Amino acid sequence: MSGRRRAPLGPDGDSSSARLEGAAKKRVKRELHAEFLSALREQALREKVAAAWTRKEALEHEAIVLDPVPFHHCVIPNFIQNENFLEGLKKELLTLDFHEKCNDLYKFKQSDDLKKRGEPHVAALRKVLFEDFRTWLSEVVQVELESTTDLSCAKYEYTDNLLCHDDELEGRRIAFILYLVPPWDENDGGTLDLFSTNDNFEPLQVIKSLVPSWNSLAFFEVSPVSYHQVSEVISKDKCRLSVSGWFHGPTIGRPARHVEAPPLRVPHIPHDHEILYEWINPIYLDMDSQAQIQEEFEERSEILLKDFLKRDKFQLVCEALKSEEVRCSSRGPPNKRHYGKAEEARLPAMLKACMELFHSEAMFLLLSNFTGLKLHFLAPGDGEEEEGEKAAGGESSKCAQEESSQKEAGRGDTDKSGRNEDHCGESGSKVPMCAGELRHWTRGSYTLIHDAQSTEFALDLLLFCECEDWDAEYGGFTSYIAKGEDEELLTINPEANCLALVYRDRETLKFVKYINHRSLKQTATQPEQTGFWDFCFVYYE
C-alpha cells in the first residue's frame, strides 16, 4: 500500500491543485502583457533620439524616424512586438460602440473614452502606452509627462475626414496615433497631413503627408504650429482604424493668436429702382408679395426666394462664370476656411454688374422691405408707420446721395474694423453697410467656426449658381448653429437661382460643410471636378 496521500477532491471531483492551476491559467489569460519595440529601449538609441529632438535634427533609423519639419514628429514603424496581440486588440476595438461625430471640423466614428475599459487587450495597450512608453517618451522630449490618460478609438471610412487644427488644449504636450489598418497607400486617402506656417503662426499648406500602416505609431509635439489634418478617406472598402490620444505635461506659454482684418464693409452704391426691374423676377417687386415675405421672415428669421433673378439674366451670369476671364484666389488660412474667391477687379462685365446689384441702394431698400430691417433711411425704424415711402426704388434723399459720393471719393472715415464712421441725420445714427464676395466651391472647400468669427446682428444673403442636381451628401451646405452647441438651427442647401436670407444674432455661428469626394462626376477616364458658385453678402443695419 502506498504511503502517499492523495489530494482531497473538490465537489466536482477535481483536486485542489488542479483547481489552483486552472485559476492561474485563467489569470494569465486575463492579464495580457504587451511590449513596445525593444530596440527603442536600448540606451544608445534613446540618447540619440533625445539629442536629435533637442537639436531639431532629422534622424532615420530602422526603429524610428524623426523629422523636425514642419514641426517635431516621429514615426515608429513596428511599435508593438507581439503580432497576435495586435489582432486581438483589433477584434476588441471593433466590438466597441462607435458614435457618429460630425460638425464643421470633422466626420468620423469614435468610441467612448478607453481609460477605464476592462477588455484585456485594451487594458494592456493602456498600460504599455501610459506607463512604459510614457517613461521612454519623457526622457526623449525632456518633459515630465503626467499619467493622465487620454485614449479613444476612431474609424474613418469613405469620405470621412478631420480638417486643419493644431490640437492645442491646456496640458496637452504630445499627440499620438497607433494605426491598425489593412494594407494602405496614399491613393486611399486618410493621410496625416502636416502644414507649414507663416510668421503669424497660421497654417499655409500641406508639406508632408504620413500614410497609415499597420502597427505604426506616429507622435508629434503639440504647439502653436502643430497644424495637421486627416485627409478624406477615398477608399470605399477600407476602414482607417486607429487608437489615439495625448500625453499631458506642464502647461507652456503660448503666443497671442493672430487677429485677421475683417472684410471691408461699405455703404450702398447709388442706383435707383431701375436696376431692380432689370435684374429681379417681377413677382418680388410687387408690394403685396414683399409684405407677405416680410411677414414670413419676421416669424422665422429666414426665407428662401426661388427664381430670384430673371431667367435670362441668371443664364447670362452662369455663362459668364464659365469664362476664362474669371480668376480665383484661394481664401484661407486652412484652420478657418478654404475656397476660391473671385478677383472682383478682373470679373467679366456681367458678373461685375451682378455684384453691383447687391451693393446697390435699391437692393438695400428691397432687403429692408423683405425683412423689416432698417437697411435704408426710407425703411421705417421700430414703431414707425409705413406710409408708402418704403416702396423699392423710391427717391433717395440728398443725405444718402452725399454719403455714397463721399465714399466713392475716398472721403469717408473707416475704422480698423472696416466700418465706415460717416453718419447722416440724427447724431450717432449708423449708416447701413455690406460686405460681399463671389465664391467658388469645389471638392475640398469648407469654412470652419473659429474664435475670431464675427458674432453680431447681421443679415446674410446667398445666391447660388451652377449647382443643378447638387446633393446634400456632397457637403457644401451652409449650417447655422447656436454658439457652444453642435445642434443645427438651420441648413441651407445650394439651389440654382435661389436667394437665401438669414438674420442671425450674437449667439449664432455658421459654417459651410466640407465638400467631399462624392461631388466628383465619374467619367470614362477619371473623376471630373464639379462644384458651384455663390454670391455671398452680409448686411449690417
Side-chain angles (χ1 to χ4, degrees):
M1 183 175 176
S2 172
R4 289 187 302 172
R5 296 180 59 187
R6 296 182 61 189
L9 296 177
D12 297 325
D14 295 330
S15 69
S16 297
S17 60
R19 291 200 310 274
L20 290 172
E21 184 180 350
K25 285 181 179 179
K26 288 180 181 179
R27 241 188 346 264
V28 169
K29 188 175 181 180
R30 282 197 302 268
E31 296 173 1
L32 287 174
H33 181 65
E35 289 186 348
F36 70 93
L37 190 62
S38 58
L40 292 175
R41 298 196 292 270
E42 295 175 1
Q43 184 175 349
L45 180 57
R46 184 172 66 244
E47 291 176 352
K48 187 180 290 187
V49 175
W53 183 281
T54 301
R55 296 170 186 162
K56 296 185 178 181
E57 297 174 347
L59 172 68
E60 287 197 27
H61 186 278
E62 61 181 2
I64 187 170
V65 176
L66 185 156
D67 191 349
V69 179
F71 49 85
H72 268 133
H73 63 279
C74 290
V75 176
I76 302 172
N78 296 290
F79 181 66
I80 297 293
Q81 295 199 136
N82 189 328
E83 183 69 23
N84 290 333
F85 174 85
L86 290 168
E87 292 292 348
L89 174 63
K90 181 178 178 180
K91 288 179 182 179
E92 279 185 5
L93 293 172
L94 290 175
T95 64
L96 300 175
D97 291 329
F98 285 84
H99 311 285
E100 185 79 39
K101 308 284 286 185
C102 185
N103 60 16
D104 61 316
L105 184 63
Y106 48 68
K107 184 177 85 73
F108 64 96
K109 294 182 178 68
Q110 187 178 44
S111 73
D112 292 327
D113 197 326
L114 298 181
K115 67 181 177 182
K116 293 184 178 179
R117 298 293 302 196
E119 290 84 354
H121 291 83
V122 172
L125 177 67
R126 197 167 55 231
K127 185 177 188 302
V128 73
L129 282 171
F130 291 96
E131 293 182 19
D132 306 340
F133 185 66
R134 176 172 62 89
T135 300
W136 179 89
L137 192 56
S138 291
E139 293 181 20
V140 166
V141 302
Q142 297 180 28
V143 174
E144 190 61 38
L145 298 173
E146 301 165 1
S147 59
T148 304
T149 303
D150 263 347
L151 192 66
S152 63
C153 181
K155 290 196 301 184
Y156 287 78
E157 296 169 315
Y158 182 55
T159 73
D160 287 349
N161 64 89
L162 172 60
L163 299 176
C164 180
H165 64 292
D166 61 12
D167 265 10
E168 277 204 294
L169 198 65
E170 186 174 358
R172 289 180 181 175
R173 296 300 300 270
I174 302 290
F176 67 88
I177 312 100
L178 174 64
Y179 296 107
L180 298 168
V181 295
W184 202 278
D185 62 45
E186 197 165 1
N187 293 328
D188 294 320
T191 54
L192 179 62
D193 297 337
L194 312 182
F195 287 79
S196 61
T197 52
N198 61 20
D199 293 339
N200 294 321
F201 304 104
E202 292 179 313
L204 290 174
Q205 59 187 0
V206 174
I207 64 168
K208 187 172 184 180
S209 295
L210 305 178
V211 179
S213 63
W214 175 262
N215 192 24
S216 67
L217 181 116
F219 67 89
F220 59 85
E221 181 181 36
V222 177
S223 75
V225 298
S226 58
Y227 285 102
H228 60 283
Q229 68 179 14
V230 176
S231 68
E232 180 186 355
V233 173
I234 304 305
S235 172
K236 294 183 178 180
D237 307 315
K238 299 178 183 179
C239 173
R240 183 188 186 274
L241 185 70
S242 65
V243 179
S244 60
W246 296 272
F247 291 100
H248 291 246
T251 300
I252 59 175
R254 308 291 186 189
R257 296 281 187 179
H258 173 68
V259 179
E260 62 182 352
L264 179 66
R265 300 178 187 179
V266 296
H268 62 238
I269 301 171
H271 263 295
D272 64 19
H273 61 285
E274 291 300 328
I275 193 172
L276 303 182
Y277 292 122
E278 180 185 349
W279 280 87
I280 295 175
N281 187 336
I283 191 173
Y284 295 120
L285 303 181
D286 177 77
M287 292 302 297
D288 290 337
S289 294
Q290 292 178 22
Q292 185 177 347
I293 289 168
Q294 184 180 137
E295 182 178 348
E296 183 177 340
F297 183 87
E298 288 179 340
E299 181 180 342
R300 298 165 48 191
S301 296
E302 55 93 8
I303 197 165
L304 299 177
L305 304 179
K306 299 189 177 186
D307 296 320
F308 183 71
L309 298 184
K310 288 183 174 180
R311 291 188 179 182
D312 60 335
K313 282 290 188 182
F314 183 72
Q315 186 62 38
L316 290 172
V317 167
C318 291
E319 289 174 6
L321 287 170
K322 299 173 184 175
S323 167
E324 293 182 358
E325 294 179 56
V326 180
R327 293 286 186 272
C328 282
S329 55
S330 181
R331 182 105 156 83
N335 63 321
K336 296 178 182 176
R337 60 188 76 85
H338 176 66
Y339 59 85
K341 179 183 177 181
E343 298 174 10
E344 196 167 342
R346 301 184 62 178
L347 288 178
M350 179 55 61
L351 298 181
K352 283 184 178 178
C354 192
M355 292 290 286
E356 195 169 296
L357 168 69
F358 293 113
H359 276 293
S360 71
E361 179 179 3
M363 178 59 75
F364 272 66
L365 182 53
L366 181 62
L367 293 175
S368 296
N369 290 1
F370 285 160
T371 64
L373 299 173
K374 193 167 180 60
L375 296 173
H376 192 277
F377 71 94
L378 288 178
D382 294 339
E384 294 182 25
E385 293 293 330
E386 297 185 32
E387 297 178 348
E389 288 185 310
K390 201 177 173 188
E395 289 299 317
S396 302
S397 72
K398 181 179 179 182
C399 176
Q401 296 283 8
E402 287 177 354
E403 287 169 7
S404 300
S405 299
Q406 286 180 357
K407 181 62 184 178
E408 289 186 333
R411 294 195 297 270
D413 296 326
T414 304
D415 70 7
K416 292 181 181 179
S417 68
R419 296 181 179 85
N420 186 287
E421 291 298 322
D422 283 339
H423 296 288
C424 182
E426 296 179 9
S427 177
S429 63
K430 292 182 179 179
V431 174
M433 297 278 181
C434 77
E437 58 186 354
L438 173 57
R439 308 184 296 183
H440 191 205
W441 301 93
T442 57
R443 188 209 160 197
S445 299
Y446 60 86
T447 67
L448 297 175
I449 291 170
H450 52 87
D451 293 341
Q453 187 169 345
S454 173
T455 53
E456 56 187 305
F457 291 96
L459 176 68
D460 293 335
L461 177 151
L462 294 169
L463 178 74
F464 299 100
C465 305
E466 294 289 280
C467 54
E468 289 77 8
D469 303 320
W470 190 264
D471 194 314
E473 281 195 346
Y474 303 164
F477 53 82
T478 302
S479 181
Y480 288 81
I481 65 171
K483 188 187 293 186
E485 303 289 340
D486 281 342
E487 184 180 355
E488 290 183 336
L489 303 173
L490 173 68
T491 299
I492 298 174
N493 289 304
E495 184 177 343
N497 201 13
C498 180
L499 187 83
L501 297 175
V502 180
Y503 187 60
R504 52 184 165 86
D505 59 20
R506 294 187 179 93
E507 297 300 315
T508 303
L509 302 172
K510 63 176 179 176
F511 65 89
V512 178
K513 185 62 178 174
Y514 174 87
I515 298 178
N516 61 47
H517 190 74
R518 288 189 174 99
S519 65
L520 298 182
K521 291 181 179 177
Q522 300 299 318
T523 65
T525 54
Q526 61 182 7
E528 179 183 316
Q529 184 77 291
T530 185
F532 65 91
W533 296 80
D534 66 22
F535 291 85
C536 173
F537 278 74
V538 183
Y539 297 83
Y540 305 89
E541 290 183 284

